Amino acid sequence: GLCYYLGIGVAEDNAKSFEYVRQAADLGNAHAQCAVGFFFGSGIGVAKKDAVKAMEWYLRAAHGGHAQA
């Protein structure tokens, strides 16, 4: 997901980036959960910005041990 977000080795594609990061988040990766919160909070790679969903994902990340979340 990070490679698509930054365009490392592939063309930048925020929607694909979100898709891959979301898969990792769904599997319990706290860093990815925080990133999903960022995507929803900023509106990048998602259909629309959603502060409520962003907070839900930040909370999941925090409960998973992610310090920044």
Side-chain angles (χ1 to χ4, degrees), residues 2-65:
L2 182 62
C3 290
Y4 279 106
Y5 181 72
L6 298 174
I8 299 171
V10 294
E12 285 184 30
D13 187 329
N14 290 330
K16 272 190 179 180
S17 177
F18 175 77
E19 179 183 330
Y20 286 115
V21 170
R22 176 68 187 261
Q23 288 177 22
D26 287 339
L27 292 172
N29 182 289
H31 185 74
Q33 290 169 341
C34 187
V36 170
F38 165 77
F39 280 113
F40 276 118
S42 65
I44 295 172
V46 295
K48 72 176 198 172
K49 192 174 179 176
D50 189 326
V52 173
K53 284 185 181 180
M55 182 57 70
E56 290 171 359
W57 281 101
Y58 284 134
L59 287 173
R60 285 186 196 187
H63 289 300

